[in-house]
Amino acid sequence: MLETITREFSLFSHVFGSILTAPNILMMIFGTLGGIVIGAIPGLTATMALALLINVSYGMNMDLALSFLLSVYVGAVTGGCISATMINIPGTPSAAATALDGFPLAKKGKGGLAIGVGIIASFFGMIISIISLIVLTPIISKLALKFGHWEMFLISVFGIMICGNLTTEDAPVKGWIVGFLGILTAMVGLDAVYAYPRFTFNLLQLKGGISLIPALIGLFGISEVVSVLQEKEPYKIEGKVGRVVPDWKDIKSLIPISIRSGIIGMLIGVIPGAGEDIGAWVSYDVGKRRSKHPERFGKGSIEGVACAETANNAVVGGAMIPLLTLAIPGSPPAAMVLAAMWLHGVRPGPLLNFEFPGFLYAVAIVLLLCSVFMLIWGLALAKPMVSVLKIKREILMPIIVPLTVIGAYAGGVRIFDVYVMFFFGLLGYVLRNLEYPMAPLVLGIILGPMADVSFRRAMMQTKGSLLPLLTRPMGLVFVVAIIWIIYSGYRRTQQLKRLASEVASEA
């Protein structure tokens, strides 16, 4: 036991020394700053930013790339609360719940206080999720080592099903449809078992498959630009910013709320593809139910801001747990981080600790340092960022389009990838208008190869029989979970239809 502790401490010290270098620290400082600015501007989401910046990190070493992308991720999730508070438009989807109480506070002249509480709550959420990341990741990794082909296939299906269930309120089947559309997309090209061409239509370019990064840039970049430019009403700043740093009494009262919301956000982050916005809404709902003054929620409650902002940042660390242990991202931005890891030759999964010892500590240390810089930058930039929000989106968005083209082309240096990006941008725009969620589609593209190969290898081992699955307890657990998700989704859909018909009949 003592030998193990000594070995882990030595490994941690070595990793800490490799991360704590001037280039890495500078990258985290400016990456967090850039992330806050990106997150605060409506239309520029964390997912879009990471999708555009993945190829920028290609020439960096792994530590520098990790520092760069995670700092932008942490900053962008936090920055959304600034615009949500001051203009009632969330800079990122994860800040939507924050706007419910942040904007009423801004109209009362307490916008600065709401932003300050949001920044500090975000810091608490990050700390809770980092602790959970260090504690839970080794446990889940050991469990994942026992997974066979059946389990890997079923966990892929489970991730897509639960992601679809959580990301659509009225019709989970929409999430499931786009999730399996993602799996279908991942099957384009030469299959990984026999190298047989599938869905290539005799096109040479398609035999190489659909590149992940151009598809992600299209879904979250091009479609976002088109959607934002269609909005006719310009936003405007209302209310004064006021004091930003809250009193110690206010901070002290947020600690129990932040602990509860941080745990909720971390648990939501562990769920494949759920994302920061779901974590914020679930935490906000629980906070309102547990509050001594639920009547204040939605009318300017500091407690409501704390619940939402703690949870959406706690999702960041939570989303890293399934990513590092199973190569399954817990949120759409985490999917971009996974793509960057693949780009740099790091293969997350059960064997990560053996192939890259200390990588978990590297992620935890970077997240911790980014959290500190986020706290400092967030409090310092609360007032100046209000001026940045006055930039017209008609000017900002066209600048982003050339960046998306460069990002799509740079990965494989193929003009075909630019066509792929625009195709998925159009697809994403259509799906948005039809109210289909994007997260299950991304998860399907990422998990498609694992689901496909695992299922085929499992069937080859059992000579086409499904009966051996009955002898695998973990596999049966996933089967039961998938059936329960389908049942609960169907039941919720029926309840909503019944409620809609009752409202219509009363009208």
Side-chain angles (χ1 to χ4, degrees), residues 230-243:
Q230 278 195 321
E231 297 175 3
K232 296 181 180 179
E233 295 185 8
Y235 51 74
K236 59 181 180 178
I237 306 294
E238 296 202 22
K240 296 181 179 180
V241 178
R243 180 170 58 90

Side-chain angles (χ1 to χ4, degrees), residues 92-425:
T92 58
S94 60
T98 307
L100 296 182
D101 288 291
F103 188 62
L105 284 168
K107 291 196 291 186
K108 296 176 184 177
K110 297 181 179 179
L113 180 62
I115 294 172
V117 167
I119 299 296
I120 293 172
S122 298
F123 177 75
F124 286 154
M126 286 300 306
I127 297 302
I128 292 170
S129 68
I130 291 168
I131 295 172
S132 303
L133 173 67
I134 295 173
V135 173
L136 295 179
T137 299
I139 298 173
I140 298 177
S141 292
K142 290 181 180 179
L143 182 65
L145 286 172
K146 300 179 182 179
F147 284 7
H149 295 307
W150 280 119
E151 285 79 8
M152 297 307 293
F153 165 71
L154 290 170
I155 198 172
S156 302
V157 177
F158 169 78
I160 292 169
M161 296 296 289
I162 196 169
C163 180
N165 205 28
L166 289 174
T167 51
T168 48
E169 295 181 1
D170 55 344
V173 68
K174 286 185 174 181
W176 300 338
I177 288 172
V178 294
F180 287 100
L181 177 62
I183 290 183
L184 183 65
T185 301
M187 290 184 178
V188 173
L190 302 178
D191 82 86
V193 179
Y194 294 113
Y196 187 82
R198 298 181 298 187
F199 309 113
T200 59
F201 306 103
N202 291 324
L203 294 176
L204 181 63
Q205 297 282 12
L206 282 178
K207 289 186 178 181
I210 301 295
S211 299
L212 176 62
I213 293 175
L216 296 181
I217 292 175
L219 287 172
F220 291 100
I222 297 297
S223 64
E224 187 74 35
V225 169
V226 176
S227 298
V228 169
L229 288 177
Q230 278 195 321
E231 297 175 3
K232 296 181 180 179
E233 295 185 8
Y235 51 74
K236 59 181 180 178
I237 306 294
E238 296 202 22
K240 296 181 179 180
V241 178
R243 180 170 58 90
V244 175
V245 180
D247 296 329
W248 170 247
K249 182 181 178 181
D250 293 331
I251 296 175
K252 189 176 179 180
S253 66
L254 294 177
I255 293 176
I257 297 170
S258 296
I259 293 174
R260 181 189 66 222
S261 300
I263 294 172
I264 291 172
M266 181 274 297
L267 293 174
I268 295 295
V270 173
I271 299 173
E276 292 79 11
D277 51 338
I278 294 175
W281 282 113
V282 172
S283 176
Y284 186 87
D285 181 63
V286 173
K288 184 176 181 180
R289 294 173 186 270
R290 298 292 300 273
S291 175
K292 294 180 181 178
H293 303 284
E295 71 281 356
R296 297 179 184 174
F297 276 64
K299 300 177 182 178
S301 171
I302 291 293
E303 189 178 343
V305 173
C307 287
E309 284 301 311
T310 303
N312 61 24
N313 275 267
V315 170
V316 175
M320 293 293 116
I321 297 175
L323 188 151
L324 295 178
T325 56
L326 301 167
I328 298 176
S331 66
M336 310 304 162
V337 177
L338 176 62
M341 290 181 183
W342 284 342
L343 189 67
H344 286 269
V346 177
R347 306 293 297 182
L351 298 177
L352 178 66
N353 193 43
F354 298 98
E355 296 176 351
F356 300 92
F359 192 80
L360 166 62
Y361 293 140
V363 172
I365 292 168
V366 170
L367 287 176
L368 178 61
L369 293 174
C370 291
S371 302
V372 175
F373 297 135
M374 172 268 292
L375 178 65
I376 296 171
W377 276 124
L379 295 177
L381 292 175
K383 292 185 178 181
M385 275 305 302
V386 174
S387 300
V388 177
L389 291 175
K390 295 179 182 178
I391 298 175
K392 292 183 179 180
R393 285 177 288 183
E394 291 82 356
I395 298 174
L396 191 64
M397 289 300 160
I399 298 174
I400 296 174
V401 176
L403 296 178
T404 63
V405 174
I406 294 170
Y409 180 76
V413 196
R414 298 191 307 169
I415 194 65
F416 179 75
D417 286 338
V418 178
Y419 299 149
V420 169
M421 178 198 70
F422 281 114
F423 172 80
F424 277 91

